[in-house]
Amino acid sequence: MKVAIIAWGSLIWCPRSLAIRSKWHPDGPCLPVEFARKSAGMRVTLVLVPGLVPMYQRSRTYWAMSSFDSITDAAENLRQREGSPSLKPIHAAGLQFAARSLGGGTNPDPKVGEAVLEWLDTHDVDAAVWTELGPETFNPTGETPLTDQVVTFLRSLDRAAKHYAREYVEFAPVAVDTPVRKAIERELGWKRRDLPESLFETALPLEKC
């Protein structure tokens, strides 16, 4: 079985224990990605927020072929790389089955599952796995706009934490062009960095969603 790993954040430039047998392809499914989660090291990381990101603001993601030829093994490897205590946030979809959580957690948002299944139909891949963590600490649907919440939080960090947080934002793929990212760039002056071409299968420009 050919199993793809779908990514949009640090898996791309920092795979660590993630076992992949290809470089990253720049034509992954279009998904509702946004900087909306406070994660380890006081970083604000990219997660899926289907209720917040409209279709026209979806971002192109990336994918690489897992070194494993079973969904179970590929998902377990992804869980270990993500440092998750369970498979609940590890989701999968395949040509023969609908999108679902692999650990008894909440199943993917239907629109996310549909986007991945549509993508599978156009690629030589049998199944895909990805991590679906939600926002943490921030309230995307609160009275204060998410852009203001994130910028205020990043401003409050001490110098060391801010350096770590800035690195994540600046290394995020250029194609992730979201309202929160634009606000960070405008208010904090953090600029996007080009990732090394050696990480990718092709240097062709990304097709917009």
Side-chain angles (χ1 to χ4, degrees):
M1 178 176 281
K2 297 177 181 178
V3 183
I5 308 294
I6 299 173
W8 47 82
S10 62
L11 288 181
I12 298 170
W13 68 87
C14 189
R16 295 202 295 267
S17 61
L18 187 69
I20 53 177
R21 56 186 174 89
S22 75
K23 296 180 181 180
W24 292 100
H25 298 263
D27 62 338
C30 292
L31 297 178
V33 176
E34 184 55 281
F35 290 89
R37 179 182 176 86
K38 187 171 77 173
S39 298
M42 308 298 278
R43 299 174 304 163
V44 178
T45 56
L46 290 163
V47 291
L48 298 179
V49 281
L52 179 70
V53 180
M55 287 288 292
Y56 69 89
Q57 285 184 344
R58 291 188 175 194
S59 296
R60 180 70 65 181
T61 61
Y62 294 75
W63 68 279
M65 200 72 74
S66 173
S67 296
F68 298 99
D69 57 8
S70 79
I71 295 171
T72 300
D73 291 340
E76 173 59 21
N77 176 240
L78 178 58
R79 180 198 69 77
Q80 292 176 8
R81 159 58 181 83
E82 296 283 35
S84 173
S86 75
L87 284 170
K88 287 183 178 181
I90 307 302
H91 291 180
L95 297 177
Q96 304 301 321
F97 64 93
R100 62 174 185 254
S101 165
L102 294 177
T106 303
N107 285 331
D109 180 273
K111 291 183 179 179
V112 171
E114 290 171 8
V116 175
L117 289 171
E118 290 176 3
W119 176 82
L120 285 171
D121 281 337
T122 62
H123 289 73
D124 185 22
V125 180
D126 300 307
V129 297
W130 67 96
T131 307
E132 193 157 344
L133 296 169
E136 187 172 280
T137 302
F138 301 114
N139 180 8
T141 59
E143 293 183 5
T144 303
L146 179 63
T147 52
D148 293 347
Q149 294 178 52
V150 172
V151 168
T152 297
F153 169 74
L154 292 174
R155 283 189 192 278
S156 73
L157 298 178
D158 63 33
R159 183 174 181 178
K162 189 174 292 185
H163 173 80
Y164 194 39
R166 179 171 184 165
E167 184 178 67
Y168 181 95
V169 172
E170 293 191 339
F171 274 128
V174 173
V176 179
D177 189 33
T178 71
V180 172
R181 185 173 208 170
K182 290 176 181 177
I184 293 171
E185 292 174 340
R186 182 177 63 252
E187 300 297 328
L188 303 180
W190 298 2
K191 305 300 182 183
R192 303 174 203 197
R193 304 189 206 178
D194 289 327
L195 293 170
E197 291 184 2
S198 59
L199 293 174
F200 306 105
E201 288 284 358
T202 174
L204 295 176
L206 283 177
E207 179 182 346
K208 292 186 176 182
C209 293

